[in-house]
Structures are given as structure tokens and as C-alpha cells.
Coordinates of all heavy atoms in Angstrom, one line a residue:
M1 N 155.9 -32.8 58.3 CA 157.0 -33.6 58.4 C 156.8 -34.6 59.6 O 156.6 -34.1 60.7 CB 158.3 -32.8 58.6 CG 159.5 -33.6 58.8 SD 161.0 -32.6 59.1 CE 161.1 -31.6 57.6
T2 N 156.9 -35.8 59.3 CA 156.8 -36.8 60.4 C 158.2 -37.3 60.8 O 159.0 -37.6 59.9 CB 156.0 -38.0 60.0 OG1 154.7 -37.6 59.6 CG2 155.9 -39.0 61.1
R3 N 158.5 -37.3 62.0 CA 159.8 -37.7 62.5 C 159.6 -38.8 63.6 O 158.5 -38.9 64.1 CB 160.6 -36.5 63.2 CG 160.7 -35.3 62.2 CD 161.3 -34.2 62.9 NE 161.3 -33.0 62.1 CZ 161.7 -31.8 62.5 NH1 162.2 -31.6 63.6 NH2 161.6 -30.8 61.7
A4 N 160.7 -39.4 64.0 CA 160.5 -40.4 65.0 C 161.6 -40.3 66.1 O 162.8 -40.2 65.7 CB 160.5 -41.8 64.4
T5 N 161.3 -40.3 67.3 CA 162.2 -40.5 68.5 C 161.4 -41.1 69.6 O 160.2 -41.1 69.6 CB 162.8 -39.2 69.0 OG1 161.7 -38.4 69.6 CG2 163.4 -38.3 67.9
G6 N 162.1 -41.7 70.5 CA 161.4 -42.2 71.7 C 160.3 -43.2 71.4 O 160.6 -44.3 70.8
D7 N 159.1 -42.9 71.7 CA 158.0 -43.9 71.5 C 157.5 -44.1 70.1 O 156.7 -45.0 69.8 CB 156.8 -43.4 72.4 CG 157.1 -43.5 73.9 OD1 157.9 -44.3 74.3 OD2 156.5 -42.7 74.6
G8 N 157.9 -43.3 69.2 CA 157.5 -43.5 67.8 C 157.3 -42.2 67.1 O 157.7 -41.1 67.5
P9 N 156.5 -42.2 65.9 CA 156.4 -41.0 65.1 C 155.6 -39.9 65.7 O 154.6 -40.1 66.4 CB 155.8 -41.6 63.8 CG 155.0 -42.8 64.2 CD 155.8 -43.3 65.4
Y10 N 156.0 -38.7 65.3 CA 155.3 -37.5 65.7 C 155.3 -36.5 64.5 O 156.2 -36.7 63.6 CB 155.9 -36.8 67.0 CG 157.3 -36.4 66.8 CD1 157.6 -35.1 66.4 CD2 158.4 -37.2 67.0 CE1 158.9 -34.6 66.2 CE2 159.7 -36.8 66.9 CZ 159.9 -35.5 66.5 OH 161.2 -35.0 66.3
F11 N 154.5 -35.5 64.5 CA 154.5 -34.5 63.5 C 155.2 -33.2 64.0 O 154.9 -32.8 65.1 CB 153.1 -34.1 63.1 CG 153.1 -32.9 62.2 CD1 153.3 -33.0 60.8 CD2 152.8 -31.7 62.7 CE1 153.3 -31.9 60.0 CE2 152.8 -30.5 61.9 CZ 153.0 -30.7 60.5
A12 N 156.1 -32.6 63.2 CA 156.7 -31.4 63.5 C 156.7 -30.5 62.2 O 157.1 -31.0 61.2 CB 158.2 -31.5 64.0
H13 N 156.1 -29.3 62.3 CA 156.1 -28.4 61.2 C 157.6 -28.1 60.7 O 158.5 -28.2 61.6 CB 155.4 -27.1 61.6 CG 155.2 -26.2 60.4 ND1 156.1 -25.2 60.1 CD2 154.2 -26.0 59.6 CE1 155.7 -24.6 59.0 NE2 154.5 -25.1 58.7
E14 N 157.7 -27.9 59.5 CA 159.1 -27.7 58.9 C 159.9 -26.5 59.6 O 161.1 -26.5 59.5 CB 159.1 -27.5 57.4 CG 158.3 -26.3 57.0 CD 158.2 -26.2 55.5 OE1 158.2 -27.2 54.8 OE2 158.1 -25.0 55.0
T15 N 159.2 -25.6 60.2 CA 159.9 -24.5 60.9 C 160.2 -24.7 62.3 O 160.9 -23.9 63.0 CB 159.0 -23.2 60.8 OG1 157.8 -23.4 61.5 CG2 158.8 -22.7 59.4
A16 N 159.7 -25.9 62.9 CA 160.0 -26.2 64.3 C 161.4 -26.7 64.4 O 161.9 -27.3 63.5 CB 159.0 -27.3 64.7
V17 N 162.0 -26.4 65.5 CA 163.4 -26.8 65.8 C 163.3 -27.9 66.9 O 162.9 -27.6 68.0 CB 164.3 -25.6 66.2 CG1 165.7 -26.1 66.6 CG2 164.3 -24.6 65.1
I18 N 163.8 -29.1 66.6 CA 163.8 -30.2 67.6 C 165.3 -30.5 67.8 O 165.9 -31.1 66.9 CB 163.0 -31.4 67.1 CG1 161.7 -31.1 66.5 CG2 163.0 -32.5 68.2 CD1 160.7 -30.5 67.5
D19 N 165.8 -30.2 68.9 CA 167.2 -30.4 69.2 C 167.4 -31.9 69.4 O 166.6 -32.7 69.9 CB 167.7 -29.7 70.5 CG 167.8 -28.2 70.3 OD1 167.7 -27.7 69.2 OD2 167.9 -27.5 71.3
E20 N 168.6 -32.4 69.0 CA 169.0 -33.8 69.3 C 169.0 -34.0 70.8 O 169.4 -33.1 71.6 CB 170.5 -34.0 68.8 CG 170.9 -35.4 68.8 CD 172.3 -35.6 68.2 OE1 172.6 -34.9 67.2 OE2 173.0 -36.5 68.7
G21 N 168.5 -35.2 71.2 CA 168.4 -35.5 72.6 C 167.1 -35.2 73.2 O 166.8 -35.5 74.4
A22 N 166.1 -34.6 72.5 CA 164.8 -34.4 72.9 C 164.0 -35.7 72.7 O 164.3 -36.3 71.7 CB 164.1 -33.2 72.2
T23 N 163.1 -36.0 73.6 CA 162.3 -37.2 73.4 C 160.8 -36.8 73.2 O 160.3 -36.0 74.0 CB 162.4 -38.1 74.7 OG1 163.8 -38.5 74.8 CG2 161.6 -39.4 74.5
I24 N 160.2 -37.3 72.2 CA 158.8 -36.8 71.8 C 158.0 -38.1 71.6 O 158.4 -39.0 70.8 CB 158.8 -35.9 70.6 CG1 159.7 -34.7 70.9 CG2 157.4 -35.5 70.2 CD1 160.0 -33.8 69.7
G25 N 156.8 -38.1 72.2 CA 156.0 -39.3 72.1 C 155.2 -39.4 70.9 O 154.9 -38.4 70.2
E26 N 154.7 -40.6 70.6 CA 153.9 -40.9 69.4 C 152.6 -40.0 69.3 O 152.0 -39.8 70.3 CB 153.5 -42.4 69.4 CG 152.8 -42.8 68.2 CD 152.5 -44.3 68.2 OE1 152.9 -45.0 69.1 OE2 151.9 -44.8 67.2
G27 N 152.4 -39.5 68.1 CA 151.1 -38.8 67.9 C 151.2 -37.3 68.3 O 150.2 -36.6 68.1
T28 N 152.3 -36.9 68.8 CA 152.4 -35.5 69.2 C 152.5 -34.6 68.0 O 153.1 -35.0 67.0 CB 153.6 -35.3 70.2 OG1 153.3 -35.9 71.4 CG2 154.0 -33.9 70.4
K29 N 152.0 -33.4 68.0 CA 152.1 -32.4 67.0 C 152.8 -31.2 67.5 O 152.4 -30.6 68.5 CB 150.7 -32.1 66.4 CG 150.1 -33.3 65.7 CD 148.7 -32.9 65.2 CE 148.1 -34.2 64.6 NZ 146.7 -33.9 64.1
I30 N 153.8 -30.7 66.7 CA 154.6 -29.5 67.1 C 154.5 -28.5 65.9 O 154.9 -28.9 64.8 CB 156.0 -29.9 67.4 CG1 156.0 -30.9 68.6 CG2 156.8 -28.6 67.8 CD1 157.4 -31.6 68.8
W31 N 154.0 -27.3 66.2 CA 153.6 -26.4 65.1 C 154.7 -25.3 64.9 O 155.7 -25.3 65.5 CB 152.2 -25.8 65.3 CG 151.2 -26.9 65.2 CD1 150.6 -27.6 66.2 CD2 150.8 -27.5 64.0 NE1 149.8 -28.6 65.7 CE2 149.8 -28.5 64.3 CE3 151.0 -27.3 62.6 CZ2 149.2 -29.3 63.4 CZ3 150.4 -28.1 61.7 CH2 149.5 -29.1 62.1
H32 N 154.4 -24.4 64.0 CA 155.3 -23.4 63.5 C 156.2 -22.7 64.6 O 155.7 -22.3 65.6 CB 154.5 -22.2 62.9 CG 153.5 -22.7 61.9 ND1 152.3 -23.3 62.3 CD2 153.5 -22.6 60.5 CE1 151.6 -23.6 61.2 NE2 152.3 -23.2 60.1
F33 N 157.5 -22.6 64.3 CA 158.5 -21.8 65.0 C 158.6 -22.3 66.5 O 159.2 -21.5 67.3 CB 158.1 -20.3 65.0 CG 157.9 -19.9 63.6 CD1 156.6 -19.4 63.2 CD2 158.9 -19.8 62.6 CE1 156.3 -19.0 61.9 CE2 158.6 -19.4 61.3 CZ 157.4 -19.0 60.9
S34 N 158.2 -23.5 66.8 CA 158.4 -24.0 68.2 C 159.8 -24.5 68.3 O 160.5 -24.9 67.3 CB 157.4 -25.0 68.5 OG 156.1 -24.4 68.6
H35 N 160.4 -24.5 69.5 CA 161.7 -25.0 69.8 C 161.7 -26.0 71.0 O 161.3 -25.6 72.1 CB 162.6 -23.9 70.1 CG 164.1 -24.3 70.3 ND1 165.0 -23.4 70.6 CD2 164.7 -25.5 70.1 CE1 166.2 -24.0 70.7 NE2 166.0 -25.3 70.4
I36 N 162.0 -27.3 70.7 CA 162.1 -28.3 71.8 C 163.6 -28.5 72.0 O 164.3 -29.0 71.1 CB 161.4 -29.6 71.3 CG1 160.0 -29.3 70.8 CG2 161.3 -30.6 72.5 CD1 159.1 -28.5 71.7
M37 N 164.1 -28.2 73.2 CA 165.5 -28.3 73.4 C 166.0 -29.7 73.9 O 165.2 -30.5 74.4 CB 165.9 -27.2 74.5 CG 165.6 -25.8 74.0 SD 166.1 -24.6 75.3 CE 165.6 -23.1 74.5
T38 N 167.3 -29.9 73.8 CA 167.9 -31.1 74.3 C 167.5 -31.4 75.7 O 167.5 -30.5 76.6 CB 169.4 -30.9 74.2 OG1 169.8 -30.7 72.9 CG2 170.2 -32.2 74.7
G39 N 167.1 -32.7 76.0 CA 166.8 -33.1 77.3 C 165.3 -32.9 77.7 O 164.9 -33.3 78.8
A40 N 164.5 -32.2 76.8 CA 163.1 -32.1 77.1 C 162.4 -33.4 76.7 O 162.8 -34.1 75.8 CB 162.5 -31.0 76.2
T41 N 161.4 -33.7 77.5 CA 160.6 -35.0 77.2 C 159.1 -34.6 77.1 O 158.6 -33.9 77.9 CB 160.7 -36.0 78.4 OG1 162.1 -36.3 78.5 CG2 159.9 -37.2 78.1
I42 N 158.5 -35.0 75.9 CA 157.1 -34.7 75.7 C 156.4 -36.0 75.5 O 156.9 -36.9 74.7 CB 157.0 -33.8 74.4 CG1 157.8 -32.5 74.7 CG2 155.6 -33.5 74.1 CD1 157.8 -31.5 73.5
G43 N 155.3 -36.2 76.1 CA 154.5 -37.4 76.1 C 153.8 -37.7 74.8 O 153.9 -36.9 73.8
R44 N 153.0 -38.7 74.8 CA 152.2 -39.1 73.6 C 150.9 -38.2 73.5 O 150.4 -37.7 74.4 CB 151.7 -40.5 73.8 CG 152.8 -41.5 73.8 CD 152.3 -43.0 73.9 NE 151.4 -43.2 75.0 CZ 151.7 -43.4 76.3 NH1 153.0 -43.4 76.6 NH2 150.8 -43.5 77.2
G45 N 150.6 -37.9 72.2 CA 149.3 -37.3 71.9 C 149.3 -35.8 72.3 O 148.2 -35.3 72.5
C46 N 150.4 -35.1 72.4 CA 150.4 -33.7 72.8 C 150.2 -32.8 71.6 O 150.5 -33.3 70.5 CB 151.7 -33.4 73.5 SG 152.0 -34.2 75.1
N47 N 149.9 -31.6 71.8 CA 149.7 -30.6 70.7 C 150.4 -29.3 71.2 O 149.9 -28.7 72.1 CB 148.3 -30.4 70.4 CG 148.1 -29.6 69.1 OD1 149.1 -29.2 68.5 ND2 146.9 -29.3 68.8
L48 N 151.5 -28.9 70.6 CA 152.2 -27.7 70.9 C 152.0 -26.7 69.8 O 152.4 -26.9 68.7 CB 153.7 -28.0 71.1 CG 154.1 -28.6 72.5 CD1 153.5 -30.0 72.6 CD2 155.6 -28.6 72.6
G49 N 151.4 -25.6 70.1 CA 151.0 -24.5 69.2 C 152.2 -23.8 68.7 O 153.4 -24.1 68.9
Q50 N 152.0 -22.7 67.9 CA 153.0 -21.9 67.3 C 153.9 -21.2 68.4 O 153.3 -20.7 69.4 CB 152.3 -20.9 66.4 CG 153.3 -20.0 65.7 CD 152.5 -19.1 64.7 OE1 151.7 -19.5 64.0 NE2 152.8 -17.8 64.8
N51 N 155.2 -21.2 68.1 CA 156.1 -20.4 69.0 C 156.2 -20.8 70.4 O 156.2 -20.0 71.3 CB 155.8 -18.9 68.9 CG 157.0 -18.0 69.3 OD1 158.1 -18.3 69.0 ND2 156.7 -16.9 69.9
V52 N 156.2 -22.1 70.6 CA 156.3 -22.7 72.0 C 157.7 -23.1 72.2 O 158.4 -23.6 71.3 CB 155.4 -24.0 72.1 CG1 155.7 -24.7 73.4 CG2 153.9 -23.6 72.0
V53 N 158.2 -22.8 73.4 CA 159.6 -23.2 73.8 C 159.5 -24.1 75.0 O 158.9 -23.8 76.0 CB 160.4 -21.9 74.2 CG1 161.8 -22.4 74.7 CG2 160.6 -21.0 73.1
V54 N 160.2 -25.3 74.8 CA 160.3 -26.3 75.9 C 161.7 -26.4 76.2 O 162.5 -26.9 75.4 CB 159.6 -27.6 75.5 CG1 159.7 -28.6 76.7 CG2 158.2 -27.4 75.1
S55 N 162.2 -26.0 77.4 CA 163.6 -25.9 77.8 C 164.1 -27.3 78.2 O 163.3 -28.2 78.5 CB 163.7 -24.9 78.9 OG 163.4 -23.6 78.5
P56 N 165.4 -27.4 78.3 CA 166.0 -28.6 78.8 C 165.5 -29.1 80.2 O 165.3 -28.2 81.0 CB 167.5 -28.3 78.9 CG 167.7 -27.2 78.0 CD 166.4 -26.4 78.0
G57 N 165.3 -30.4 80.3 CA 164.9 -30.9 81.6 C 163.4 -30.8 81.9 O 162.9 -31.3 82.9
C58 N 162.6 -30.2 81.0 CA 161.2 -30.2 81.1 C 160.5 -31.5 80.8 O 161.0 -32.2 79.9 CB 160.5 -29.1 80.2 SG 160.9 -27.5 80.7
V59 N 159.5 -31.9 81.5 CA 158.7 -33.1 81.2 C 157.2 -32.7 81.0 O 156.6 -32.1 81.9 CB 158.8 -34.1 82.3 CG1 158.0 -35.3 82.0 CG2 160.3 -34.5 82.5
L60 N 156.7 -33.0 79.8 CA 155.3 -32.8 79.5 C 154.7 -34.2 79.5 O 155.2 -35.1 78.7 CB 155.0 -32.1 78.2 CG 155.1 -30.6 78.2 CD1 156.5 -30.1 78.6 CD2 154.7 -30.0 76.9
G61 N 153.6 -34.4 80.2 CA 152.9 -35.7 80.2 C 152.2 -36.0 78.9 O 152.3 -35.3 77.9
N62 N 151.3 -37.0 78.9 CA 150.6 -37.4 77.8 C 149.3 -36.4 77.6 O 148.8 -36.0 78.6 CB 150.1 -38.8 77.9 CG 151.2 -39.8 77.9 OD1 152.2 -39.6 77.3 ND2 151.1 -40.8 78.8
N63 N 149.0 -36.2 76.4 CA 147.8 -35.4 76.0 C 147.8 -34.0 76.5 O 146.8 -33.4 76.8 CB 146.5 -36.1 76.5 CG 146.4 -37.5 76.0 OD1 146.5 -37.7 74.8 ND2 146.2 -38.5 76.8
V64 N 149.0 -33.4 76.6 CA 149.1 -32.0 77.1 C 148.9 -31.1 75.9 O 149.4 -31.3 74.8 CB 150.5 -31.7 77.7 CG1 150.7 -30.3 77.9 CG2 150.7 -32.5 78.9
K65 N 148.0 -30.1 76.0 CA 147.8 -29.1 75.0 C 148.4 -27.8 75.4 O 148.1 -27.2 76.5 CB 146.3 -28.9 74.8 CG 145.5 -30.2 74.6 CD 145.9 -30.9 73.4 CE 145.1 -32.2 73.2 NZ 145.8 -33.3 72.6
V66 N 149.3 -27.2 74.5 CA 150.0 -26.0 74.8 C 149.7 -25.0 73.7 O 150.0 -25.3 72.5 CB 151.5 -26.2 74.8 CG1 152.3 -25.0 75.1 CG2 151.9 -27.3 75.8
Q67 N 149.0 -23.9 74.0 CA 148.6 -22.9 73.1 C 149.8 -22.1 72.6 O 150.9 -22.3 73.1 CB 147.6 -22.0 73.7 CG 146.2 -22.7 73.9 CD 145.5 -22.9 72.5 OE1 146.0 -23.8 71.7 NE2 144.4 -22.3 72.3
N68 N 149.6 -21.2 71.7 CA 150.7 -20.4 71.1 C 151.4 -19.5 72.1 O 150.8 -19.0 73.0 CB 150.1 -19.5 70.0 CG 149.4 -20.2 68.9 OD1 149.6 -21.4 68.7 ND2 148.5 -19.6 68.2
N69 N 152.7 -19.3 71.8 CA 153.5 -18.4 72.6 C 153.7 -18.7 74.0 O 153.7 -17.8 74.9 CB 153.0 -16.9 72.4 CG 152.9 -16.5 71.0 OD1 153.9 -16.6 70.3 ND2 151.8 -16.1 70.6
V70 N 153.8 -20.0 74.3 CA 154.0 -20.5 75.7 C 155.5 -20.9 75.9 O 156.1 -21.5 75.0 CB 153.1 -21.7 76.0 CG1 153.4 -22.3 77.4 CG2 151.6 -21.2 76.0
S71 N 156.1 -20.4 77.0 CA 157.4 -20.8 77.3 C 157.4 -21.7 78.6 O 156.8 -21.3 79.6 CB 158.3 -19.6 77.6 OG 158.4 -18.8 76.4
I72 N 158.0 -22.8 78.5 CA 158.1 -23.8 79.6 C 159.6 -23.9 80.0 O 160.4 -24.4 79.2 CB 157.5 -25.1 79.3 CG1 156.0 -24.9 78.8 CG2 157.5 -26.0 80.5 CD1 155.4 -26.1 78.2
Y73 N 159.9 -23.5 81.2 CA 161.4 -23.4 81.6 C 161.9 -24.6 82.3 O 161.1 -25.3 82.9 CB 161.6 -22.1 82.4 CG 161.4 -20.8 81.5 CD1 160.2 -20.1 81.6 CD2 162.3 -20.4 80.6 CE1 160.0 -19.0 80.8 CE2 162.1 -19.3 79.8 CZ 160.9 -18.6 79.9 OH 160.7 -17.5 79.1
S74 N 163.2 -24.7 82.3 CA 163.9 -25.9 82.9 C 163.3 -26.3 84.2 O 163.1 -25.5 85.1 CB 165.4 -25.6 83.0 OG 165.9 -25.5 81.7
G75 N 163.2 -27.7 84.4 CA 162.8 -28.2 85.7 C 161.3 -28.4 85.9 O 160.9 -29.0 86.8
T76 N 160.5 -27.9 84.9 CA 159.1 -28.0 85.1 C 158.6 -29.3 84.6 O 159.0 -29.9 83.6 CB 158.4 -26.9 84.2 OG1 158.9 -25.6 84.7 CG2 156.9 -26.9 84.4
I77 N 157.6 -29.9 85.4 CA 157.0 -31.1 85.0 C 155.5 -30.8 84.9 O 154.9 -30.3 85.8 CB 157.1 -32.2 86.1 CG1 158.6 -32.6 86.3 CG2 156.3 -33.4 85.8 CD1 158.9 -33.5 87.5
V78 N 154.9 -31.1 83.7 CA 153.5 -30.8 83.5 C 152.8 -32.2 83.4 O 153.3 -33.0 82.6 CB 153.3 -30.1 82.1 CG1 151.8 -29.8 81.9 CG2 154.0 -28.7 82.2
E79 N 151.9 -32.4 84.2 CA 151.2 -33.8 84.3 C 150.3 -34.0 83.1 O 150.1 -33.1 82.2 CB 150.4 -33.8 85.6 CG 151.3 -33.8 86.8 CD 150.6 -33.8 88.1 OE1 149.3 -33.8 88.1 OE2 151.3 -33.8 89.1
D80 N 149.8 -35.2 83.0 CA 148.9 -35.6 81.9 C 147.7 -34.8 81.8 O 147.2 -34.3 82.8 CB 148.5 -37.1 82.0 CG 149.6 -38.1 81.9 OD1 150.7 -37.7 81.5 OD2 149.3 -39.3 82.2
D81 N 147.2 -34.6 80.5 CA 145.9 -33.9 80.3 C 145.8 -32.5 80.8 O 144.7 -32.0 81.1 CB 144.7 -34.8 80.9 CG 144.8 -36.2 80.4 OD1 144.8 -36.4 79.2 OD2 144.7 -37.1 81.2
V82 N 146.9 -31.7 80.7 CA 146.9 -30.3 81.1 C 146.8 -29.5 79.9 O 147.3 -29.8 78.8 CB 148.2 -30.0 81.9 CG1 148.3 -28.5 82.2 CG2 148.2 -30.8 83.2
F83 N 146.1 -28.3 80.0 CA 146.0 -27.3 79.0 C 146.6 -26.0 79.4 O 146.2 -25.5 80.4 CB 144.5 -27.1 78.7 CG 144.2 -26.2 77.6 CD1 144.3 -26.5 76.3 CD2 143.8 -24.8 77.9 CE1 144.0 -25.7 75.2 CE2 143.5 -23.9 76.9 CZ 143.6 -24.4 75.5
L84 N 147.6 -25.6 78.7 CA 148.3 -24.3 79.0 C 147.9 -23.2 78.0 O 148.0 -23.4 76.8 CB 149.8 -24.5 78.9 CG 150.4 -25.5 79.9 CD1 151.9 -25.6 79.7 CD2 150.1 -25.1 81.3
L85 N 147.3 -22.1 78.6 CA 146.7 -21.1 77.7 C 147.8 -20.3 77.0 O 148.9 -20.2 77.3 CB 145.9 -20.2 78.6 CG 144.7 -20.8 79.3 CD1 144.0 -19.9 80.3 CD2 143.7 -21.3 78.3
T86 N 147.3 -19.5 76.0 CA 148.1 -18.7 75.2 C 148.9 -17.7 76.0 O 148.5 -17.1 77.0 CB 147.2 -17.9 74.2 OG1 146.5 -18.9 73.4 CG2 148.0 -17.0 73.3
A87 N 150.2 -17.5 75.6 CA 151.1 -16.5 76.2 C 151.4 -16.8 77.7 O 151.6 -15.9 78.4 CB 150.7 -15.1 75.9
F88 N 151.4 -18.0 78.0 CA 151.6 -18.5 79.4 C 153.1 -18.8 79.6 O 153.7 -19.5 78.7 CB 150.7 -19.7 79.7 CG 150.7 -20.2 81.1 CD1 149.9 -19.5 82.0 CD2 151.4 -21.3 81.5 CE1 149.8 -20.0 83.3 CE2 151.3 -21.8 82.8 CZ 150.5 -21.1 83.7
S89 N 153.7 -18.4 80.7 CA 155.1 -18.8 81.0 C 155.1 -19.6 82.3 O 154.5 -19.2 83.3 CB 156.0 -17.6 81.2 OG 156.2 -16.9 80.0
V90 N 155.7 -20.8 82.2 CA 155.8 -21.6 83.4 C 157.2 -21.5 84.0 O 158.2 -21.9 83.4 CB 155.6 -23.1 83.1 CG1 155.6 -24.0 84.3 CG2 154.2 -23.3 82.4
T91 N 157.3 -20.8 85.1 CA 158.6 -20.5 85.7 C 158.7 -20.9 87.2 O 159.6 -20.6 87.9 CB 158.9 -19.0 85.7 OG1 157.9 -18.3 86.4 CG2 159.0 -18.5 84.2
H92 N 157.7 -21.7 87.6 CA 157.6 -22.1 89.0 C 158.8 -22.8 89.5 O 159.2 -23.8 88.9 CB 156.3 -22.9 89.2 CG 156.2 -23.5 90.5 ND1 155.9 -22.7 91.6 CD2 156.2 -24.7 91.0 CE1 155.8 -23.4 92.7 NE2 156.0 -24.7 92.3
R93 N 159.4 -22.4 90.6 CA 160.5 -23.1 91.2 C 160.4 -23.4 92.7 O 161.3 -23.9 93.3 CB 161.8 -22.3 90.9 CG 162.1 -22.0 89.5 CD 162.6 -23.2 88.7 NE 163.8 -23.6 89.2 CZ 164.4 -24.7 88.9 NH1 163.8 -25.5 88.1 NH2 165.6 -25.1 89.4
G94 N 159.3 -22.9 93.3 CA 159.2 -23.1 94.7 C 158.3 -24.2 95.1 O 157.8 -25.0 94.3
P95 N 158.1 -24.4 96.5 CA 157.2 -25.5 96.9 C 155.7 -25.2 96.6 O 155.3 -24.1 96.4 CB 157.4 -25.4 98.5 CG 157.8 -24.0 98.7 CD 158.6 -23.6 97.5
G96 N 155.0 -26.3 96.5 CA 153.5 -26.2 96.2 C 153.3 -26.0 94.7 O 154.2 -25.8 94.0
N97 N 152.1 -26.2 94.3 CA 151.8 -26.1 92.9 C 150.8 -25.0 92.5 O 150.5 -24.9 91.3 CB 151.4 -27.4 92.3 CG 150.1 -27.9 92.9 OD1 149.3 -27.2 93.4 ND2 149.8 -29.2 92.7
F98 N 150.3 -24.2 93.4 CA 149.5 -23.1 93.2 C 148.3 -23.4 92.3 O 147.9 -22.6 91.4 CB 150.3 -21.9 92.6 CG 151.4 -21.4 93.5 CD1 152.7 -21.8 93.2 CD2 151.1 -20.7 94.6 CE1 153.7 -21.4 94.0 CE2 152.1 -20.3 95.5 CZ 153.4 -20.6 95.2
G99 N 147.8 -24.6 92.3 CA 146.6 -25.0 91.6 C 146.9 -25.5 90.2 O 146.0 -25.9 89.5
F100 N 148.2 -25.4 89.7 CA 148.5 -25.9 88.4 C 148.9 -27.4 88.5 O 149.4 -27.8 89.6 CB 149.6 -25.1 87.8 CG 149.3 -23.7 87.5 CD1 149.8 -22.7 88.3 CD2 148.4 -23.3 86.5 CE1 149.5 -21.4 88.1 CE2 148.1 -22.0 86.3 CZ 148.6 -21.0 87.1
A101 N 148.8 -28.1 87.5 CA 149.1 -29.5 87.5 C 150.6 -29.7 87.0 O 150.8 -30.3 86.0 CB 148.2 -30.3 86.6
F102 N 151.5 -29.1 87.8 CA 152.9 -29.3 87.5 C 153.6 -29.2 88.9 O 153.1 -28.7 89.8 CB 153.5 -28.4 86.5 CG 153.4 -26.9 86.8 CD1 154.3 -26.3 87.7 CD2 152.3 -26.1 86.3 CE1 154.2 -25.0 88.0 CE2 152.2 -24.8 86.6 CZ 153.2 -24.2 87.5
Q103 N 154.8 -29.7 88.9 CA 155.6 -29.6 90.1 C 157.1 -29.4 89.8 O 157.5 -29.7 88.6 CB 155.4 -30.9 90.9 CG 155.9 -32.2 90.1 CD 155.6 -33.4 90.8 OE1 154.7 -33.5 91.6 NE2 156.4 -34.5 90.6
E104 N 157.8 -29.0 90.7 CA 159.3 -28.9 90.5 C 159.9 -30.2 90.5 O 159.6 -31.1 91.2 CB 159.9 -28.0 91.7 CG 161.3 -27.8 91.4 CD 162.0 -26.9 92.5 OE1 161.2 -26.5 93.4 OE2 163.1 -26.6 92.3
K105 N 160.8 -30.4 89.5 CA 161.5 -31.6 89.4 C 162.5 -31.8 90.6 O 163.1 -30.8 91.0 CB 162.3 -31.6 88.1 CG 162.9 -32.9 87.7 CD 163.5 -32.8 86.3 CE 164.0 -34.1 85.8 NZ 164.5 -34.1 84.5
A106 N 162.6 -33.0 91.1 CA 163.5 -33.3 92.2 C 164.9 -33.0 91.8 O 165.3 -33.3 90.7 CB 163.3 -34.7 92.7
R107 N 165.7 -32.4 92.7 CA 167.1 -32.1 92.4 C 168.0 -33.1 92.9 O 167.9 -33.8 93.8 CB 167.5 -30.8 93.0 CG 166.7 -29.7 92.4 CD 167.0 -28.4 93.0 NE 166.0 -27.4 92.6 CZ 166.2 -26.1 92.8 NH1 167.2 -25.6 93.3 NH2 165.3 -25.3 92.4

């Protein structure tokens, strides 16, 4: 199923849930049972695997690859060209980035 918001068309599997108010970039693919919540922003050319959750206020840059069963919690910013491995949870809320290409969103 091809849908359009923000920058243009993207693909979302029929079982994916895309809440109103989410912004998804052109060419992004969202697969089975994933949930993109209101206020989440996903860049162009991303690929979100099965059962991915992107919480409100998250920002994923362009060309981000997210494997199956990944949860990305509110306030997380994932920079361009990042690969998040299977069953990974992004819950970082403190200073520093511990080697990952994301940072806490300014409050």
C-alpha cells in the first residue's frame, strides 16, 4: 500500500499502523505490524522492519535501516544512515551518545 504524507509517497504494509500526525519521507518502507505514532518523523529512503515501534517525538534521519522488533522511544533522534540491529531498544535519555548516532532531543 502506498501512502503519502510530508515529502511524498512511501510504502506501508497493510498491517502497519501509521497514526495521523506522523511524517514519513519519500521512498520509506514500513513492514508488517509496525506502529508509527503521532508526532514521529521518519526521513526519506528508510526501511523499518517487522514489529517496529516509533514513539511520539522521535526523529529518524534519511536512509535509516531498522531491523525487526526494534522500539524507539520518545525524544530519540537517529541521524542519517544509521542501522539499528534486531531487537534493539533506544531508551537513551542522558548526556553523551555512547557511540550511537543519536542524541537526546532538546527540551
Side-chain angles (χ1 to χ4, degrees):
M1 174 184 300
T2 301
R3 305 177 190 175
T5 69
D7 294 332
Y10 63 92
F11 169 83
H13 187 270
E14 63 185 28
T15 62
V17 176
I18 313 295
D19 289 348
E20 187 175 330
T23 302
I24 301 170
E26 182 176 3
T28 288
K29 295 180 181 177
I30 302 168
W31 293 100
H32 309 75
F33 311 112
S34 291
H35 186 183
I36 313 305
M37 297 182 183
T38 300
T41 301
I42 299 174
R44 294 181 312 277
C46 296
N47 189 4
L48 280 65
Q50 181 174 312
N51 200 36
V52 169
V53 175
V54 182
S55 297
C58 290
V59 177
L60 276 63
N62 298 322
N63 304 309
V64 171
K65 307 302 180 208
V66 182
Q67 289 290 68
N68 300 338
N69 303 306
V70 172
S71 297
I72 305 170
Y73 294 101
S74 294
T76 301
I77 298 171
V78 180
E79 296 177 358
D80 293 350
D81 304 309
V82 171
F83 182 79
L84 299 177
L85 296 173
T86 301
F88 187 79
S89 292
V90 183
T91 60
H92 177 66
R93 301 288 294 168
N97 64 19
F98 301 105
F100 297 106
F102 60 82
Q103 63 187 25
E104 183 175 3
K105 190 173 183 177
R107 295 179 192 194

